Each structure stands twice: as C-alpha cells, then as structure tokens.
Amino acid sequence: MGPLERQSRDAMHKISLYDMDRTITVRGTYTPFLFHLLFARAPWRLIFLPLLPFGFIGYGLKLISRGRLKTFNQRMLMGSGPKLADLQPHIERFAEHVLRSNRHQKALDQIETDRAAGRTLVLVTASYELYAEAIARRLGFDHLIGTELEVDDEGRVRPRIIGENCYDDAKIGRIEALFAAQAWQRSASHVRAYSDHVSDQAMLEFADEAIATTPTPKMRRLAEQRGWPIVDWR
C-alpha cells in the first residue's frame, strides 16, 4: 500500500462487523438461552420437550422456515407472552454467563484492538436482539443488528419475528439499513467483517476486508478460494 492509498484509507470511516455465535462465542447461544430461561422461570415447561423434534422435522422437510422453527421453540420453552421486565434480570445473568464461560478470549482481544484503532463496532447476529443486546452492551459494541422479536403494548415478548430472521443474506439488508440510518457512505467507509460460517458469505463479500475466524470446514474452503485471512481464536 502506497502513501497516498494509506492516507485515503486512514481518512475513511472504519467499521468492523462481527458475527456472534461461534465467532465471538465458542458455542451457539440460542438454545442455551431458552433453557436458561426455562430453568430459571418455569421448569414445568419441560413437559413440552417431546414436541420440539416436530419443529425440527418440519424444518428438515422445508415445511417451515428457520425463523418459524426459532419461534416454535420459543413458544414451547418460554411461553407465548412473558413480560420483558420479568425476563430482563435473567437475560443479564445469561449474558454474564456467556462472557464468563462461552467466549473466545482472542475474539474479545480483537474487539478491543479494533476499538483502540477507532473502528465503529457492529454486532451482526441471527440471535435474538432480546439477549444479544446485553452481550453487545458488555462488549462495548456501538450498534447491534439481530433478529427482532415483537414486544406488544403490554411489554410482553411474543413468539413473532419482526421482519426477517437475521440470517444469511438477510444480514445485508439490515447492514444497509444501518448505513442509511447513520448516513454512512459505503464508498467513504472501510469495512472489516469477521465470521466463522459460510452463511455469512454475503456479509464477508460486502466488506473490504473479510476474516474467517475459527472457521467451519466449508468456511475454510471458501476463505482459501477467496484468499481471505484465516485466524484461529481457540
């Protein structure tokens, strides 16, 4: 990179997009979150456990979408309308647990490195914003993009997704909406993206700098084909 190119890049708005599950965390968070709430609030809902395979069968047969599968499991394990105010203390404890025992320390170190470099930090996840917000807040992210759940006028969390499940290509629409809302110009921004999974291919291609983090085998092959750096955060 020559001096003029370096000067132009330094003048750009620097943005880092991070996937969450298995990029920042070691394991997924959606199912553990549901069971965390179940055991903390209503262990009797374990009686619905035998119904969960029917949702997975429906998804496997392409009868329901990934988003419908998520809300089906949510209805079974959380109920159809718990009060957000009642859930919040449990959400905070779950976030603490995730960052204590289910995170890649090297991912947290990279987040701090990007922050110190003046980069705007954006967490982009298919996980529910309902609990991802508490994780993003603790990690000091500037913005959160996740799957949004309906909260009604009485403050009840409903098993209904607003818009799309924030997965795969749906992330791009949400990222573009954030750019528009913040009046960020893509041509005046340097975007770096981190992910472990091939479902984030569109987000990684959107970026100027794509990094495959502790990748799955498919993600590793894609990164090698595209010449993207591969890092292991274990």
Side-chain angles (χ1 to χ4, degrees):
M1 183 184 296
L4 291 179
E5 186 180 355
R6 187 178 299 110
Q7 183 178 6
S8 175
R9 174 170 162 175
D10 289 345
M12 287 184 162
H13 180 197
K14 297 183 284 291
I15 300 165
S16 289
L17 308 175
Y18 282 82
D19 174 50
M20 186 173 77
D21 282 9
R22 299 182 181 88
T23 295
I24 294 173
T25 68
V26 178
R27 300 172 298 280
T29 59
Y30 165 77
T31 301
F33 171 70
L34 292 182
F35 277 96
H36 174 85
L37 289 187
L38 180 147
F39 286 115
R41 298 180 59 253
W44 63 267
R45 298 196 73 87
L46 283 170
I47 64 174
F48 295 115
L49 211 57
L51 299 179
L52 298 188
F54 292 100
F56 288 99
I57 291 169
Y59 176 68
L61 294 174
K62 301 186 185 302
L63 299 176
I64 62 173
S65 67
R66 181 182 289 264
R68 286 290 300 278
L69 174 62
K70 288 169 76 168
T71 54
F72 173 77
N73 291 339
Q74 176 188 342
R75 184 184 294 273
M76 293 299 101
L77 300 182
M78 275 179 57
S80 60
K83 285 284 190 78
L84 178 57
D86 294 337
L87 296 181
Q88 199 61 48
H90 304 294
I91 290 170
E92 298 298 332
R93 283 193 286 274
F94 178 74
E96 291 287 348
H97 174 74
V98 168
L99 295 179
R100 184 172 59 251
S101 61
N102 182 22
R103 83 287 185 271
H104 290 297
Q105 182 57 50
K106 291 180 181 178
L108 272 56
D109 293 342
Q110 185 62 53
I111 291 168
E112 291 307 313
T113 296
D114 281 358
R115 189 196 327 280
R119 304 189 71 87
T120 297
L121 304 176
V122 184
L123 188 62
V124 188
T125 178
S127 298
Y128 287 162
E129 287 189 1
L130 177 68
Y131 68 88
E133 185 278 332
I135 296 171
R137 177 169 19 96
R138 283 164 169 77
L139 293 176
F141 275 84
D142 301 294
H143 300 277
L144 167 65
I145 294 172
T147 299
E148 298 178 278
L149 287 174
E150 179 183 322
V151 180
D152 67 19
D153 293 340
E154 296 180 348
R156 296 186 180 277
V157 179
R158 299 299 186 183
R160 286 190 287 271
I161 290 173
I162 298 173
E164 294 184 77
N165 181 37
C166 189
Y167 180 77
D168 207 330
D169 291 354
K171 287 187 176 183
I172 292 300
R174 296 288 302 282
I175 291 168
E176 290 175 343
L178 177 64
F179 267 70
Q182 298 296 317
W184 297 340
Q185 298 298 316
R186 180 64 186 87
S187 59
S189 303
H190 177 270
V191 178
R192 179 183 294 159
Y194 303 86
S195 180
D196 72 296
H197 199 270
V198 71
S199 63
D200 281 328
Q201 179 175 347
M203 182 176 80
L204 293 164
E205 290 176 341
F206 175 84
D208 301 290
E209 186 179 352
I211 301 173
T213 62
T214 323
T216 63
K218 284 186 178 180
M219 183 68 230
R220 181 176 292 276
R221 288 195 293 272
L222 177 64
E224 289 171 348
Q225 291 168 4
R226 298 300 177 86
W228 295 338
I230 297 173
V231 298
D232 191 328
W233 280 347
R234 288 173 292 188

